[in-house]
Amino acid sequence: LVELHGFPDDVSGKEILQDNEAEELKESRLRVNGWRGQVVQHQRDGRVLVETFRGLRVLVAPENLKEFTPQHPERGGFHVAWPPEGSMESLAQFTATAVDALAKDGF
């Protein structure tokens, strides 16, 4: 899990949104510092594709990412995040982590 940081106060949607995101968002200015999500893919150009918890996919430089560790569920956090669509490896890891978390909580 990662958190976006180090961007100017607002960024053009055209600069960071993945190509298939809504055109109206690409025309807007976005405040992305603090957005959280998970890495989906490393691109050949060095950027990283992140699926944010807001449901948007953004392409950012690795230096604009820092590790994010959620708080424990009792403090408003969560054990695991739903995996990105189309990633069988992430789905397998999610399943194992979710089962482990449920077992530790006595379920």
Side-chain angles (χ1 to χ4, degrees), residues 38-80:
Q38 51 194 320
V39 172
V40 175
Q41 187 177 51
H42 294 269
Q43 305 293 301
R44 289 183 181 168
D45 65 5
R47 294 182 298 168
V48 179
L49 178 61
V50 175
E51 185 173 302
T52 70
F53 296 147
R54 294 171 179 254
L56 298 173
R57 287 186 171 207
V58 296
L59 286 164
V60 299
E63 57 266 20
N64 290 112
L65 297 174
K66 62 182 177 181
E67 186 175 343
F68 165 66
T69 302
Q71 293 184 1
H72 199 271
E74 284 81 17
R75 295 184 178 163
F78 51 90
H79 288 299
V80 296

Side-chain angles (χ1 to χ4, degrees), residues 1 70-74 77-81 94 97-98 100-102 104-105:
L1 300 178
Q71 293 184 1
H72 199 271
E74 284 81 17
F78 51 90
H79 288 299
V80 296
F94 166 80
T97 305
D100 185 53
L102 288 169
K104 284 180 182 176
D105 285 348

